[in-house]
């Protein structure tokens, strides 16, 4: 069986390729990338995979049995059509199964909701494609908080508008393993899975970061508007507003969902105690 993964030069796509190769072989996996040179290091066949070029996609998907579509990064209205380009190309090329990386979050009422809505539309398009399908709804990556640790140290605190809300975090490595299983095992066909670990509050996150890095961080809640203005000042209007919307969704409970990770992966999600212990210097 030939398996292709889009957005292969990105962090999630690359991780999924690595995990899928480990379950199959490098000869069974094809990387699709908008800029193929950026995916050559993955050690598998690389083909062009620009979501805006349907004919190119159809050619690149020849001989592919199962396709994983990593959700695009463009504006929500644009990504719906881009994903449709990939789905149509897959059908024309004879692909039998599509796995789609969707996301959890508030479907209405936040600045992140348009992104969620666009993902839900693609979920519907995948289900109605006539092909076999599996959909994963990713939890929020924990890695950005790890990468931000130096900034947290300078501040002495974590601050955002999540309040007491719980967030079903996950890691790219855990997601990659689950998606490799979803691609290679037919028992997952026609299932939609929430892919996340144990849900954490920001207070718990601060405790785990302190455990891993020997810090004394505290969590300070802010209002949505205060946090939005703070993020805009650092990241600009668009990104700052979207990030505030993500944390507003956490506050409102949209990121605390039942996890289906074990059903998808065949094993439990890594515990946060184990994960953060593994980060200790």
């Amino acid at each position: 069986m030939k398996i292709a993964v889009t957005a292969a030069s990105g962090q999630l796509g690359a991780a999924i390729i690595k995990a899928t190769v480990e379950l199959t072989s490098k000869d069974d996996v094809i990387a699709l990338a908008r800029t193929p040179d950026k995916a050559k290091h993955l050690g598998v066949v690389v083909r062009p995979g620009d979501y805006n070029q349907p004919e190119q996609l159809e050619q690149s998907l020849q001989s592919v049995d199962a396709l994983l579509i990593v959700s695009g990064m463009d504006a929500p209205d644009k990504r719906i059509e881009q994903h449709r380009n990939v789905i149509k190309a897959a059908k024309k090329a004879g692909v039998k199964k599509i796995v789609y990386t969707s996301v959890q979050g508030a479907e209405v009422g936040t600045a992140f909701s348009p992104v969620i809505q666009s993902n839900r539309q693609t979920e519907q398009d995948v289900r109605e494609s006539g092909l076999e399908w599996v959909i994963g709804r990713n939890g929020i990556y924990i890695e950005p908080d790890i990468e931000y640790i130096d900034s947290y140290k300078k501040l002495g605190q974590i601050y955002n508008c999540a309040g007491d809300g719980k967030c079903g975090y996950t890691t790219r490595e855990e997601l990659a393993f689950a998606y490799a299983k979803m691609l290679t095992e037919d028992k997952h066909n026609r299932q939609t899975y929430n892919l996340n670990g144990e849900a954490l509050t920001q207070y718990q996150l601060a405790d785990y970061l302190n455990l891993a890095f020997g810090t004394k961080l505290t969590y300070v809640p802010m209002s949505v508007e205060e946090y939005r203005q703070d993020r805009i000042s650092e990241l600009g209007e668009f990104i700052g507003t979207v990030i505030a919307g993500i944390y507003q969704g956490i506050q409102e409970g949209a990121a605390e969902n039942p996890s289906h990770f074990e059903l998808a992966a065949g094993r439990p999600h890594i515990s946060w105690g184990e994960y953060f212990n593994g980060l200790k210097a």
Side-chain angles (χ1 to χ4, degrees):
M1 184 173 75
K2 291 287 186 183
I3 295 168
V5 178
T6 72
S9 60
Q11 290 177 292
L12 180 59
I16 293 170
I17 285 172
K18 180 182 176 183
T20 306
V21 167
E22 288 174 357
L23 284 183
T24 57
S25 78
K26 66 178 183 179
D27 296 326
D28 296 318
V29 181
I30 298 166
L32 301 184
R34 185 172 59 183
T35 307
D37 284 349
K38 292 183 178 180
K40 283 185 176 178
H41 65 284
L42 296 171
V44 298
V45 170
V46 183
R47 297 177 183 174
D50 189 328
Y51 290 3
N52 293 306
Q53 297 192 36
E55 292 180 1
Q56 177 198 86
L57 288 165
E58 183 182 345
Q59 187 62 37
S60 291
L61 290 171
Q62 297 299 314
S63 77
V64 170
D65 299 294
L67 169 65
L68 183 130
I69 304 175
V70 175
S71 182
M73 298 296 290
D74 219 324
D77 57 335
K78 291 183 180 178
R79 74 172 72 181
I80 290 172
E81 290 306 317
Q82 290 170 340
H83 295 158
R84 285 174 175 166
N85 287 341
V86 185
I87 294 166
K88 290 173 185 175
K91 291 184 70 173
K92 288 181 180 179
V95 172
K96 299 178 180 65
K97 175 175 174 176
I98 290 176
V99 180
Y100 175 57
T101 73
S102 190
V103 66
Q104 300 174 40
E107 296 184 11
V108 293
T110 79
F112 190 52
S113 296
V115 174
I116 301 297
Q117 291 165 11
S118 73
N119 276 270
R120 296 293 177 269
Q121 180 59 60
T122 295
E123 290 180 19
Q124 182 178 333
D125 292 341
V126 168
R127 291 188 187 103
E128 294 175 355
S129 67
L131 307 179
E132 289 296 342
W133 56 268
V134 195
I135 292 166
R137 290 180 175 174
N138 299 348
I140 292 177
Y141 299 152
I142 199 109
E143 288 94 340
D145 283 288
I146 308 307
E147 294 159 6
Y148 207 67
I149 190 64
D150 287 339
S151 295
Y152 287 149
K153 286 178 180 178
K154 290 176 184 176
L155 293 166
Q157 61 186 33
I158 299 171
Y159 62 85
N160 55 52
C161 60
D164 292 325
K166 286 190 171 184
C167 178
Y169 287 103
T170 188
T171 75
R172 292 187 185 94
E173 188 171 321
E174 288 293 86
L175 288 174
F177 182 79
Y179 279 116
K181 288 283 197 174
M182 292 154 67
L183 280 163
T184 56
E185 297 176 348
D186 288 341
K187 67 182 181 181
H188 305 295
N189 291 358
R190 299 182 178 268
Q191 299 298 314
T192 300
Y193 295 129
N194 291 332
L195 301 177
N196 57 271
E198 178 189 1
L200 301 175
T201 66
Q202 299 299 295
Y203 298 98
Q204 290 172 304
L205 176 61
D207 288 342
Y208 276 122
L209 289 169
N210 291 336
L211 170 73
F213 297 103
T215 49
K216 296 181 180 180
L217 303 176
T218 57
Y219 171 63
V220 179
M222 304 172 72
S223 72
V224 174
E225 184 56 27
E226 285 173 330
Y227 188 55
R228 188 175 77 86
Q229 292 299 332
D230 177 85
R231 292 297 82 201
I232 287 172
S233 68
E234 182 174 332
L235 302 169
E237 181 84 26
F238 177 72
I239 297 296
T241 299
V242 168
I243 289 176
I246 292 172
Y247 282 90
Q248 180 185 353
I250 296 172
Q251 179 195 83
E252 295 174 356
E256 184 183 5
N257 300 301
S259 176
H260 310 125
F261 185 89
E262 189 166 356
L263 287 172
R267 63 159 174 79
H269 191 285
I270 191 171
S271 73
W272 294 123
E274 181 182 352
Y275 175 78
F276 282 96
N277 271 318
L279 297 177
K280 286 183 177 180

